[in-house]
């Protein structure tokens, strides 16, 4: 067993190690979540690309695989978010994370039911807001992180938030090893959250061709684009993404409409339900109608790469840390290695002192 390193995060959620596997659409399903949880980290199911029934099945599958605590990531602007909150409460899920800041009433409902709430934020003001609303902890992602991201690097955003709120802060964006964990703890964080690093494990369902595309990438081979869904999104730079970047507004919107149709076909959603989701996204994220239409791009383009294995036809969310990753261990091997490295790093620092 690797050395344990108790923090406010491990005490809050009941895991052995202060390591969180973030919710990644089409990636962190039951298999990856259970493997992370069983290895002592906090595994998180990504529910945004699941129907309500699929989410219920995923939760129960994780329970069949492990008795360790785990979480579910919810989309705060989903039209059925109240039903999803009711489901995680009924299924006694330990943790709920949010990719977007949730409403105050959702946090209150979850807390009243004994569920730990951990929103993800990319700005100081958002951390202060959710802390004031009663969030139990917060994940702070710097601009190095993959997927939707901000412009402030982790090394600047993290200490800002740690100094401003009195709840546990989990650092995200640029972490992959034990040295990074110790650095985050030195800043005052209670742990680290990682997406790209967990995507590149043997427990991840992503196909070998797509994993190879990640492994072959360097730290400069990602780009932040708004051409996927209208919001800043860090992805691997590919020829497909370069074509998206060069697309004019008319072509972009035409493609977005086509992908909205594909999303409807893929999910079985009715047009009214799809429009309600678009309206909810527009209101919660202050989007234009054009951006709301583009939001339908994300699940379709992610699925092309992560499920269908078409790195040439989809987008691959990736943090800049991708250029420092060169292997595909199991979740257990990864977490053991990180915790061992962290202890070795702490020993070196103690000796130096």
């Amino acid at each position: 067993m690797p050395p344990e390193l108790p923090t406010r995060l491990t005490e809050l959620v009941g895991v052995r190690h202060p390591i969180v596997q973030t919710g990644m659409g089409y990636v962190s399903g039951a298999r990856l979540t259970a493997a992370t949880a069983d290895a002592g980290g906090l595994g998180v199911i990504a529910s945004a690309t699941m129907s309500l029934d699929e989410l219920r099945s995923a939760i129960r599958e994780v329970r069949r695989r492990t008795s360790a605590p785990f979480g579910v990531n919810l989309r705060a602007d989903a039209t059925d978010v109240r039903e999803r909150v009711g489901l995680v409460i009924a299924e006694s899920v330990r943790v709920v994370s949010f990719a977007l800041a949730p409403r105050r009433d959702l946090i209150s409902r979850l807390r009243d039911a004994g569920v730990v709430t951990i929103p993800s934020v990319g700005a100081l003001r958002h951390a202060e807001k959710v802390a004031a609303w009663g969030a139990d902890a917060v994940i702070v992602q710097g601009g190095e992180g993959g997927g939707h991201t901000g412009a402030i690097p982790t090394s600047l955003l993290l200490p800002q938030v740690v100094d401003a709120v009195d709840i546990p802060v989990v650092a995200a964006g640029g972490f992959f090893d034990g040295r990074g964990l110790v650095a985050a703890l030195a800043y005052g964080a209670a742990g680290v959250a990682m997406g790209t690093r967990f995507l590149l494990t043997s427990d991840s369902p992503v196909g070998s061709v797509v994993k190879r595309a990640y492994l072959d990438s360097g730290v400069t081979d990602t780009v932040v684009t708004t051409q996927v869904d209208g919001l800043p999104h860090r992805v691997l730079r590919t020829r497909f993404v370069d074509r998206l970047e060069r697309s004019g507004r008319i072509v972009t919107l035409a493609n977005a409409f086509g992908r909205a149709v594909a999303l409807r076909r893929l999910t079985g959603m009715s047009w009214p339900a799809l429009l309600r989701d678009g309206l909810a996204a527009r209101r919660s994220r202050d989007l234009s109608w054009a951006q709301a239409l583009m939001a339908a791009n994300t699940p379709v383009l992610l699925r092309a790469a992560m499920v269908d294995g078409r790195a040439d036809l989809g987008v691959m969310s990736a943090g800049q840390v991708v250029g420092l990753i060169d292997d595909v261990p199991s979740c257990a091997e990864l977490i053991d290695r990180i915790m061992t490295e962290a202890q070795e790093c702490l020993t070196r620092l103690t000796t130096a002192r």
Side-chain angles (χ1 to χ4, degrees):
M1 295 289 289
E4 295 186 8
L5 194 56
T7 69
R8 294 175 70 191
L9 174 67
T10 61
E11 294 169 1
L12 176 66
V13 300
V15 295
R16 297 198 307 275
H17 306 303
I19 297 172
V20 179
Q21 161 250 302
T22 59
M24 298 169 281
Y26 298 116
V27 177
S28 49
R31 175 178 156 189
L32 180 59
T33 301
T36 303
D38 212 39
L42 179 64
V44 178
I45 297 171
S47 76
T49 51
M50 296 179 179
S51 68
L52 202 61
D53 286 340
E54 288 170 338
L55 175 56
R56 181 181 294 105
S57 296
I59 291 171
R60 293 179 179 178
E61 178 61 23
V62 174
R63 280 259 161 70
R64 283 192 287 271
R65 290 171 177 256
T66 182
S67 59
F70 64 94
V72 169
N73 181 263
L74 298 179
R75 211 181 85 190
D77 63 346
T79 53
D80 63 350
V81 67
R82 292 183 182 279
E83 289 82 359
R84 290 173 183 258
V85 166
L87 172 61
V88 298
I89 291 173
E91 294 289 334
S92 299
V93 173
R94 177 62 179 151
V95 177
V96 163
S97 65
F98 287 93
L100 300 171
R103 298 189 304 272
R104 185 198 299 259
D105 61 305
L106 293 178
I107 293 177
S108 296
R109 184 180 173 193
L110 288 162
R111 288 203 68 180
D112 289 347
V115 180
V116 174
T117 59
I118 310 181
S120 295
V121 300
L124 172 61
R125 67 183 185 278
H126 297 151
E128 292 174 326
K129 179 173 69 174
V130 296
W133 285 356
D136 296 290
V138 65
I139 294 174
V140 174
Q141 178 173 308
E144 304 96 318
H148 293 121
T149 193
I152 304 175
T154 305
S155 60
L156 301 180
L157 181 61
L158 179 58
Q160 272 191 312
V161 175
V162 167
D163 289 345
V165 302
D166 60 2
I167 57 177
V169 175
V170 180
F175 297 100
F176 71 106
D177 65 1
R179 295 171 300 175
L181 173 57
V182 172
L185 297 178
Y187 273 117
V192 296
M194 304 183 298
T196 306
R197 177 63 276 195
F198 276 107
L199 184 151
L200 289 170
T201 62
S202 60
D203 297 300
S204 160
V206 175
S208 58
V209 171
V210 174
K211 285 180 179 175
R212 175 47 54 188
Y214 277 91
L215 291 170
D216 289 343
S217 298
V219 293
T220 60
D221 291 335
T222 67
V223 60
V224 177
T225 179
T226 59
Q227 291 297 100
V228 176
D229 59 5
L231 296 173
H233 194 132
R234 186 178 293 282
V235 298
L236 287 187
R237 182 186 288 280
T238 63
R239 279 181 287 185
F240 178 76
V241 170
D242 285 341
R243 287 200 302 272
L244 284 180
E245 287 278 272
R246 291 193 300 268
S247 298
R249 186 172 180 80
I250 299 300
V251 172
T252 297
L253 292 178
N255 288 339
F257 180 77
R259 292 181 185 115
V261 173
L263 177 64
R264 177 179 176 272
R265 188 183 309 118
L266 185 67
T267 62
M269 294 173 70
S270 65
W271 280 111
L274 193 61
L275 290 172
R276 283 196 302 271
D277 261 9
L279 182 60
R282 182 171 181 263
R283 286 173 174 167
S284 67
R285 293 186 248 171
D286 194 26
L287 305 181
S288 67
W289 273 112
Q291 288 174 316
L293 176 61
M294 288 178 69
N297 282 356
T298 306
V300 175
L301 292 177
L302 284 175
R303 182 184 175 89
M306 301 305 167
V307 178
D308 300 334
R310 295 299 304 271
D312 57 330
L313 295 178
V315 297
M316 295 168 281
S317 299
Q320 289 179 301
V321 74
V322 67
L324 303 178
I325 299 172
D326 59 8
D327 64 350
V328 185
S330 68
C331 288
E333 290 168 339
L334 173 63
I335 291 177
D336 285 3
R337 180 201 305 171
I338 289 174
M339 296 309 300
T340 299
E341 289 172 350
Q343 188 58 59
E344 291 171 350
C345 185
L346 288 170
T347 300
R348 288 197 304 273
L349 292 173
T350 303
T351 302
R353 185 185 65 180

